[in-house]
Amino acid sequence: MIALTADPIDFSSAYHYLQTDEAGAIDFFFGVVRNNTQKRDVQQLDYEAYGPMAVREMQKIADEACRRWNVLRYVIIHRTGVLRIGEMAVLIGVATPHRDAAFEATRYIIDTIKQTVPIWKKERFTDGEVWVNATP
Amino acid sequence: MPFCPYFVDMTQPLTVLLFGITRDLVGQSTVAVPLTKGARVADLMTHLNEQYPALANVKSILVAVNSEYAEPDTVLTPSDEVALIPPVSGG
C-alpha cells in the first residue's frame, strides 16, 4: 500500500494491514520531525509533493524491493503539509518471512525515497526558512 | 521569404509546473513557456534560466515529463505535463 496524505499517519492500521500468517517479521521505520538541524531550532516543516509522480516513484521503489527480497506486504505513507515537532512525516512498513529481509527492504525503501521521490521539505526557524538540500 | 500565414505561429505555450524552491524563486506555481517545434528539455531549461536568473541559486534542477524523469534531449510537445524537480528532500 502506498499513500500520500495530509492527515496524520495511523500506525496501527498500517500494522494491521501488514499482518499475514506467513510473516515472521514486520519492520517499521518512522521518519519524525526533529526540533533542530545544524544547531538551529526548527519550529515546523512544510512538506510539498508532486503528487502523481511521487506516488509513481514510490511504487517503483516498492516494486524493486519486492524483486530483491521476499516481501509479503508493504506500506509506504508520506505526509504533506505543515508538520510540527514530533509528528510522523513518513512510515515504511515491511512484512517478510524472516527478519534480515525486513530490515534490508525497509532501509532500502527509506534511503531510496530520499533520493528519487519528488517530495520537498522547508525548514522553518524562528529567524528564517530553508528548502532542504536545494542550495549549494 | 514570402509571407505565409501557416508559419506565423511557430510556437505553442507549454505549461511548466514548479515545486519547492523553484516555485518560491519564480513566485508562481506554473509558468507558460513558448515551445518551438522540436524543442528539447535542454532548450526549456535554457529559456527558463534566461527568464528567471534566480533559478541559478538551485543546486540542480531535473525535469519530469509526464511524471517521469526526462533526459536533456527529450523532445517536448504541448500536451506533455512538464515539471521542474529541484533536489528532493522527502523522508
Side-chain angles (χ1 to χ4, degrees), chain A residues 1 17-18 20 22-23 25 61-76 92-98 100-106 108-109:
Chain A
M1 183 180 74
Y17 172 80
L18 288 168
T20 171
E22 296 79 41
I61 295 167
D63 291 347
E64 181 60 25
C66 292
R67 268 191 294 274
R68 293 192 192 186
W69 296 280
N70 185 10
V71 175
L72 299 169
R73 292 190 184 177
Y74 62 82
V75 177
I76 303 174
I92 315 293
V94 174
T96 60
H98 303 284
D100 281 354
F103 281 124
E104 289 167 18
T106 304
Y108 167 80
I109 291 169

Side-chain angles (χ1 to χ4, degrees), chain A residues 47-50 52-53 56-57 60 78 89-90 110 114-122 129 131-136, chain B residues 17-24 56-60 64 66-69 81-91:
Chain A
Y47 279 89
E48 176 180 334
Y50 178 16
M53 183 176 174
R56 272 171 90 136
E57 290 295 321
K60 285 183 196 170
H78 205 300
V90 59
I110 183 59
K114 284 173 164 285
Q115 292 165 6
T116 65
V117 177
I119 297 175
W120 301 271
K121 62 174 166 254
K122 179 189 268 183
E129 58 185 42
W131 285 104
V132 177
N133 293 344
T135 47
Chain B
L17 309 177
L18 304 177
F19 296 97
I21 192 171
T22 60
R23 178 171 41 73
D24 276 6
N57 295 323
V58 186
K59 191 154 59 178
S60 65
N66 301 322
S67 290
E68 295 284 350
Y69 286 106
E81 181 173 294
V82 177
L84 298 192
I85 311 289
V88 301
S89 53

